[in-house]
Amino acid sequence: MLFSLLIAPAAAEAALPPSNPGTPPMSDSPWSLLPAASANAEALDTLYIFFWILCGIAFVGMIGVQAYFMWKYKKPAEGHAKTSPLTHNGKLEFIWSAIPTFFFVILFAWGEIEFMKQATPPPDAMDVRVTGQKWSWTIEYPEVKGCSLTNDLYVPVGVPMRLTMTSMDVIHSFYLPAFRLKKDVVPGRYTVLWFEATKPGLYPLMCTEYCGDEHSSMVGRVHVVPQEEYSAVLAKACELKQGDAEPLEEFGARVVTRGGCASCHTTDGTVKTGPSFKGLFGKTETLSDGSTVTVDENYIRESILEPNAKIVSGFSPQMPSFAGRFDDKQIAALIAYIKAQK
């Protein structure tokens, strides 16, 4: 577990899709530790380094003694060496059992202390709600009414954050490599994770529980900002309104990004979990019950608010409802965006 939290993400770094620009590299080389961006990460790294120092000392000591004995007691060039009459040494046996036991107890106690710290959120922690679904993270901030982000988590430096998490479909696993934290997100129940970020920056967020064919695209970003900037940055990130001179389809592109639509729908004709947006508007689709429907404004609106009402043949009912997340203006912009994908 400890090893996977620190080293395993190096291989996954290359899998971060280009849809997440700005995501920083998790390590400078495959042999270095990942960046430590939380108090928990710094404490875990110290324990990790201590563990490997012990392993190194034990390895060198054991191999060194073995090599010495092989040299000292090698077979003579002529004849045979006399075998020692001693069968065992009680004092030596006690020492080589007591020393490892002593360090095992240290590692256990150290790990237990750090585990209890991480398992108990402070009472003044800021609350954030996280919902996993195939294949994106919905992040909501109770302090900002109506704020719902997709795959983007904003946190201030030096403030404890408590994440209350659940899943809408299958088991996911919320993983923050730079914070050394991973927690399963389970349907039908809540799991809690907390941390305190220590360094401003942009850090990767991913799912580490295989959850379907688009599992590898279930990635996001953690934006760690200074405390004095947090409220303004979060308010701007939560705002989803059309600019004064912004064309409706361009606003729709931002709605698509906010909703995480690209994890299931493409604009180049490639079929993923859901139909491609390319050439979709005006197309006649065959539904799973054998009936047909023309893709128009009403059909797209219904598919956004009640995605399981009409399932296109060949696809499964996996899309979550966006009722309450997108208002009429945002839905209209999304429809305009789909219309523009010729």
Side-chain angles (χ1 to χ4, degrees):
M1 177 66 173
L2 180 62
F3 185 82
S4 66
L5 283 173
L6 291 158
I7 300 298
E13 180 182 343
L16 290 175
S19 59
N20 286 274
T23 302
M26 289 188 285
S27 60
D28 295 327
S29 79
W31 301 106
S32 65
L33 291 178
L34 303 177
S38 72
N40 174 73
E42 294 167 1
L44 194 61
D45 284 358
T46 303
L47 173 58
Y48 178 80
I49 293 170
F50 177 73
F51 171 78
W52 278 107
I53 288 174
L54 286 183
C55 289
I57 292 173
F59 177 80
V60 171
M62 292 177 64
I63 297 301
V65 170
Q66 181 181 356
Y68 171 73
F69 283 166
M70 290 171 64
W71 170 79
K72 181 174 177 62
Y73 298 108
K74 66 181 183 294
K75 182 179 178 180
E78 296 181 2
H80 298 278
K82 184 178 180 181
T83 301
S84 170
L86 297 177
T87 58
H88 72 281
N89 185 312
K91 182 182 295 186
L92 184 61
E93 290 178 1
F94 174 80
I95 290 173
W96 73 41
S97 298
I99 292 177
T101 300
F102 172 75
F103 286 107
F104 286 153
V105 170
I106 290 178
L107 289 171
F108 173 80
W110 193 343
E112 178 69 9
I113 291 170
E114 294 302 328
F115 173 80
M116 292 306 297
K117 288 180 181 178
Q118 186 52 47
T120 310
D124 60 343
M126 188 179 299
D127 285 305
V128 175
R129 294 196 174 273
V130 177
T131 303
Q133 63 271 322
K134 295 188 281 189
W135 284 272
S136 63
W137 302 101
T138 299
I139 301 167
E140 299 172 287
Y141 296 82
E143 64 187 276
V144 181
K145 185 178 179 180
C147 181
S148 179
L149 303 178
T150 301
N151 296 334
D152 282 296
L153 173 63
Y154 287 82
V155 301
V157 172
V159 176
M161 304 292 293
R162 176 172 50 236
L163 276 54
T164 303
M165 307 182 294
T166 190
S167 170
M168 293 179 61
D169 37 48
V170 299
I171 297 177
H172 300 282
S173 191
F174 191 86
Y175 183 30
L176 303 173
F179 296 172
R180 312 294 189 264
L181 294 172
K182 182 162 73 76
K183 193 81 168 184
D184 282 352
V185 181
V186 184
R189 61 173 294 182
Y190 293 109
T191 53
V192 176
L193 182 70
W194 84 273
F195 60 86
E196 182 179 324
T198 57
K199 296 179 181 177
L202 194 61
Y203 304 98
L205 152 67
M206 59 186 69
C207 175
T208 54
E209 182 77 31
Y210 182 73
C211 52
D213 54 358
E214 291 297 323
H215 160 72
S216 61
S217 66
M218 194 170 172
V219 295
R221 298 175 295 180
V222 182
H223 306 252
V224 182
V225 299
Q227 287 188 42
E228 61 274 13
E229 300 176 12
Y230 173 70
S231 296
V233 170
L234 179 61
K236 183 177 180 180
C238 292
E239 186 179 46
L240 188 58
K241 296 181 180 180
Q242 184 179 9
D244 293 337
E246 183 179 25
L248 191 60
E249 59 270 22
E250 290 185 11
F251 177 45
R254 293 199 290 119
V255 175
V256 166
T257 301
R258 173 67 63 85
C261 305
S263 63
C264 297
H265 303 276
T266 68
T267 57
D268 61 2
T270 304
V271 176
K272 297 176 72 174
T273 307
S276 175
F277 288 157
K278 184 177 181 179
L280 181 62
F281 192 83
K283 182 180 179 182
T284 299
E285 294 278 23
T286 301
L287 304 180
S288 57
D289 61 2
S291 62
T292 60
V293 64
T294 300
V295 179
D296 57 11
E297 288 87 347
N298 286 320
Y299 172 76
I300 296 175
R301 178 184 175 83
E302 182 183 39
S303 297
I304 294 170
L305 302 179
E306 299 179 53
N308 296 328
K310 293 183 177 71
I311 303 299
V312 176
S313 178
F315 296 94
S316 56
Q318 301 188 79
M319 178 174 167
S321 172
F322 285 83
R325 292 180 58 187
F326 290 159
D327 59 26
D328 288 341
K329 184 67 175 178
Q330 293 161 352
I331 293 175
L334 203 159
I335 293 172
Y337 173 80
I338 294 175
K339 282 183 176 181
Q341 308 307 308
K342 304 297 185 179

